[in-house]
Amino acid sequence: MTGYFKSRKAFPWHIVVFLAPALIVYVVVMVIPLLDSLSLSFFTENPANVKENIFAGLSNYKYLFTDNYYAPIFWGALKHNIVFFLVHMLVQNPIGLLLAGILAKGGKLRTFFRTILFIPTILSFVLVAFVWKLILSPIWGVSKTILGLFSLEGLFQPWLGLESSALITCSLISVWQYIGTPMILFYTALIAIPDELLEAAKVDGANPWLIFWKIKFPLIVPTVGLVSMMTFVGNFNAFDLIYTMQGALAGPNFSTDIMGTLFYRTFFGQQQQMPNQTLGATIATMQFVIILIGVVIYMVWQKRTTVYEY
Amino acid sequence: MKKHLGLFVVLMLLLFVLPVAAQEAGAKLVIESWRQDDINIWNDTIIPAFNEVHPEIEVIFQPTKQEDYNGQLNSRLAGGTAGDIVTCRPFDPSLKLFESGYLSVLNDLPGMEAFDSSSTVAWTTDDGASTYCVPLASVIHGFMYNKTAFEEKGWEVPVTKDEFFALLEAIKEDGEYIPLAMGTHDLWEAATMGWYNIGVQDYKGEEGRLALIDGTAKFTDAPYVQVYEELAKWAPYLPDGYQGVQYSDSQQLFTMGQAAIFQTGSWEISVFEPLIAGEFEMGAFRAPKDNADDACFISDHTDIGIGMNAATKYSEAARIFLEWVTTADFASIYANNMVGFYPLAKIDYSVENPVANEFLSWRNECGSSIRISASIIGRGEPGMDTDIWTTSANVINGTMTPEEAAAYVQDALDKWYTPAK
């Protein structure tokens, strides 16, 4: 009893010591820069002395939301980012789930396909962008030839160069690249379901369709939530694929411009456009806020949802 | 053993001390640059030529990666570790350095009188009071064509716009070549190779450029809208699916002999020549005019300057070097080694490369002007250059009319720019 109280009273220094390295690194490389860039968004460059920033309150935000020239670009980027995210949610994750369902069924070639389908995810985005640009190229690309095999040559369009199709094309290429992640997560969740549950359902006369929707899916709902959240965060931070495929101006006519490319152009400048670091920080803060809202929704949902234990 | 060790240590220390002593005896100039490609030309040709005249000054060419140059130079200047000689980007990036006090004023540098104001404007304050970099070179826009194919088919180099479009039509009808190797995917290709290339002829060079700056003309006026109208007419002569064709595709279409004409600039000469060697010969013609007897104008864009770090230890030596850069000797060495980059001094020098010489000959016949968005009116967010990129591609793609495009650029300019009265 006395020993217990003694250990309660002594300050648990060992916890501090063990936490310190990770905490210090995290604070120095994550928290401080984040707070710094948040605060930068409330400043603006001093016109009299270019080396100095002066406090400007919310003027950067006002400019971003209301300026008759910059606001359409900002809202456009946000809209495109939402489309980019929806394509991932509606195409990447259902197909990932479908593939995971097929893989979980077993079969001799399971490991082979699991590896093949995961490979694009570990490829460099530069490589992915380069390969897809070549495939879709109106001059050298094989897509025209492949369509020709089915006498569908007339359907060929320079998809990356048309305002109407460029964003969807880029989104689908990103889906192609990252489909491995949801697939593996769904797959591990599916194979973790105990066989007894599935056998019991079979004995009760449930068909595979019913088993999937009534037994398997409810059990992997936490993974569905996790995958959705990861997609959301990844998509609103996306930049690299669009930048390498369409350039910093995310053409044609800004039709593939997302938050990441808008931030890049503003913060680092682009050709004649001078870098505007404070406005760039404002865009970065907006990205942070959007992601924060998404994560909070996820956390609330996660707390409320029923997790089945087995 | 211990004795030897002591000797060794003393020797090593001496080795460290000796170069320092040497440095203090003669001036050592370090040149900051983004032109990594030029390192051999500087080391093997330019610096030895300078040392023949001034053997007492040691010069070291120390380039940085092109895309990192502006940022790294900024931080080195701020931290006091930058080289003595600084290669200057044109217009605002260098102006910003000057305003921050990093570059010395060079108004009184002997030899500066060899440059006229259209060359120094890229490195002069808006009020014209201070010039802070010596203009080094410019690039000239024009069209390159497959001379071998032209001769074979009997096509003539066009002078007027009517001839130009008739030629494009003839090439299209013939069917063997793509008339114009251009795509709009990369946007800047449509602007830099298209708009800036032909625009200068329509708005009459400096006259039209300065009219926009002093407010006597608007982008929505006929000469500027006309550029877009002309670009829109190019669309049928571009490769199939040009909306998805990139700049590197266009380059390849031309160098592989699949396209007859490539709208471009002189910097491409040294890139293309090794690629087409033995396959075909190329020639160059300048932007077509309305009437054959109209005055001609070319886009002769100042691209590289060279200045002095205000904090250099060897300001005397740096000035001697910069003065040498203004001489005909330097101009001739530079022009012949960096084919397609033309020194800006008003002195005679000859270029041996025939295509490069063709480009250079236009300077004597035509009015020179820099890119319209480069000076003063190009500021703002995202800036006129970006606006011209996007709108030129839109017009060629047919998603914007020439009038809409011009109005878009003018609106963006009106937002922040009031011409000085």
Side-chain angles (χ1 to χ4, degrees), chain A residues 45 50-51 63 67-69 133 138-140 158 160-163 245-246 249 253 270-274 276, chain B residues 93 100 102 185 187 240-241 243-246 249 252-253 381-382 385-387 389-390 394 399 408 412 415:
Chain A
E45 200 173 75
V50 289
K51 281 191 249 177
Y63 181 73
D67 181 74
N68 62 9
Y69 197 73
K133 272 204 288 196
I139 295 177
W140 331 106
L160 284 174
L162 298 177
E163 266 179 60
M245 304 246 342
Q246 303 294 79
L249 271 181
N253 203 16
Q270 192 266 339
Q271 289 283 319
Q272 299 274 318
Q273 184 181 344
M274 287 283 124
N276 183 340
Chain B
S100 310
Y102 294 136
H185 178 274
L187 311 178
D240 283 342
Q243 298 96 328
V245 172
Q246 299 174 59
D249 297 335
Q252 284 172 39
L253 283 176
E381 252 159 8
D385 189 44
T386 303
D387 293 338
W389 284 26
T390 306
N394 286 350
T399 55
Y408 181 91
K415 195 189 91 179

Side-chain angles (χ1 to χ4, degrees), chain B residues 90-119:
Chain B
F91 301 101
D92 289 2
S94 290
L95 180 62
K96 217 165 180 180
L97 293 181
F98 176 71
E99 283 172 348
S100 310
Y102 294 136
L103 295 174
S104 298
V105 180
L106 296 177
N107 287 359
D108 55 343
L109 185 80
M112 280 303 264
E113 63 281 355
F115 302 95
D116 59 25
S117 63
S118 74
S119 329

Side-chain angles (χ1 to χ4, degrees), chain A residues 5-60:
Chain A
F5 275 112
K6 215 173 177 184
S7 67
R8 272 291 294 262
K9 273 186 180 164
F11 189 76
W13 284 108
H14 61 283
I15 296 179
V16 177
V17 171
F18 283 132
L19 279 179
L23 195 69
I24 290 169
V25 169
Y26 185 73
V27 167
V28 169
V29 305
M30 289 293 296
V31 178
I32 294 176
L34 187 67
L35 292 178
D36 197 39
S37 80
L38 291 186
S39 74
L40 189 62
S41 70
F42 298 109
F43 286 81
T44 187
E45 200 173 75
N46 185 350
N49 176 5
V50 289
K51 281 191 249 177
E52 195 182 77
N53 286 330
I54 46 175
F55 186 75
L58 290 169
S59 69
N60 280 327

Side-chain angles (χ1 to χ4, degrees), chain A:
Chain A
M1 211 43 194
T2 44
Y4 174 76
F5 275 112
K6 215 173 177 184
S7 67
R8 272 291 294 262
K9 273 186 180 164
F11 189 76
W13 284 108
H14 61 283
I15 296 179
V16 177
V17 171
F18 283 132
L19 279 179
L23 195 69
I24 290 169
V25 169
Y26 185 73
V27 167
V28 169
V29 305
M30 289 293 296
V31 178
I32 294 176
L34 187 67
L35 292 178
D36 197 39
S37 80
L38 291 186
S39 74
L40 189 62
S41 70
F42 298 109
F43 286 81
T44 187
E45 200 173 75
N46 185 350
N49 176 5
V50 289
K51 281 191 249 177
E52 195 182 77
N53 286 330
I54 46 175
F55 186 75
L58 290 169
S59 69
N60 280 327
Y61 292 89
K62 201 180 149 213
Y63 181 73
L64 194 62
F65 297 145
T66 60
D67 181 74
N68 62 9
Y69 197 73
Y70 228 85
I73 294 179
F74 171 74
W75 296 118
L78 184 60
K79 198 185 93 192
H80 301 146
N81 220 147
I82 293 168
V83 173
F84 192 69
F85 169 65
L86 289 178
V87 170
H88 281 79
M89 281 304 281
L90 297 175
V91 181
Q92 175 186 274
N93 298 346
I95 294 183
L97 181 59
L98 181 72
L99 291 172
I102 296 170
L103 286 179
K105 278 223 162 274
K108 275 184 196 146
L109 290 173
R110 163 159 88 170
T111 337
F112 173 71
F113 280 112
R114 203 174 56 197
T115 315
I116 288 288
L117 290 166
F118 198 72
I119 280 178
T121 308
I122 54 171
L123 286 180
S124 154
F125 60 88
V126 179
L127 200 68
V128 170
F130 183 71
V131 167
W132 274 101
K133 272 204 288 196
L134 269 184
I135 293 175
L136 297 173
S137 164
I139 295 177
W140 331 106
V142 293
S143 44
K144 209 172 182 174
T145 326
I146 292 174
L147 281 173
L149 291 179
F150 305 98
S151 309
L152 293 172
E153 226 171 323
L155 286 183
F156 181 81
Q157 295 284 322
W159 290 292
L160 284 174
L162 298 177
E163 266 179 60
S164 51
S165 58
L167 180 61
I168 300 289
T169 310
C170 288
S171 311
L172 290 177
I173 292 168
S174 170
V175 165
W176 176 86
Q177 183 180 10
Y178 292 113
I179 198 148
T181 312
M183 182 194 76
I184 289 292
L185 288 170
F186 286 135
Y187 172 72
T188 44
L190 284 174
I191 56 171
I193 297 172
D195 283 341
E196 304 90 76
L197 288 175
L198 304 177
E199 274 159 21
K202 240 182 240 165
V203 171
D204 285 344
N207 61 27
W209 183 254
L210 215 57
I211 291 179
F212 183 82
W213 286 113
K214 294 287 175 198
I215 315 279
K216 288 184 183 170
F217 192 76
L219 288 174
I220 62 163
V221 158
T223 311
V224 174
L226 181 75
V227 165
S228 307
M229 207 261 303
M230 282 173 62
T231 311
F232 184 80
V233 174
N235 285 170
F236 277 88
N237 273 328
F239 161 74
D240 42 20
L241 190 78
I242 301 274
Y243 176 71
T244 36
M245 304 246 342
Q246 303 294 79
L249 271 181
N253 203 16
F254 300 110
S255 63
T256 52
D257 198 20
I258 56 175
M259 300 293 284
T261 44
L262 176 62
F263 162 76
Y264 176 84
R265 285 202 307 276
T266 314
F267 192 90
F268 293 104
Q270 192 266 339
Q271 289 283 319
Q272 299 274 318
Q273 184 181 344
M274 287 283 124
N276 183 340
Q277 296 180 340
T278 54
L279 189 63
T282 313
I283 295 168
T285 306
M286 287 313 298
Q287 278 181 285
F288 175 73
V289 168
I290 291 165
I291 290 171
L292 195 68
I293 292 171
V295 173
V296 165
I297 293 173
Y298 168 74
M299 302 282 257
V300 171
W301 170 83
Q302 196 205 24
K303 280 242 163 76
R304 291 194 177 174
T305 191
T306 337
V307 176
Y308 297 98
E309 300 279 348
Y310 43 80

Side-chain angles (χ1 to χ4, degrees), chain B residues 38 55 63 83 87 94 132 164 167 200 208 236 268 282-283 288 331 355 370 389:
Chain B
D38 299 349
T87 308
S94 290
Y132 39 86
F164 180 65
L167 172 68
V200 66
E268 212 81 85
M282 62 182 183
V355 183
I370 53 172
W389 284 26

Side-chain angles (χ1 to χ4, degrees), chain B residues 115 119 123 135-142 144 265-270 284 298-304 330-332 334-347 349-363:
Chain B
F115 302 95
S119 329
W123 300 283
L136 205 56
S138 74
V139 290
I140 299 176
H141 278 285
M144 286 183 195
S266 57
W267 65 89
E268 212 81 85
I269 299 170
S270 55
I298 53 164
S299 170
D300 185 359
H301 188 67
T302 44
D303 202 35
I304 308 182
F330 173 83
S332 165
Y334 196 87
N336 281 296
N337 284 290
M338 318 240 188
V339 175
F341 290 86
Y342 302 102
L344 288 151
K346 282 184 300 183
I347 34 183
Y349 57 89
S350 62
V351 184
E352 279 145 32
N353 183 300
V355 183
N357 213 12
E358 173 72 33
F359 275 98
L360 183 61
S361 70
W362 303 340
R363 227 191 231 170

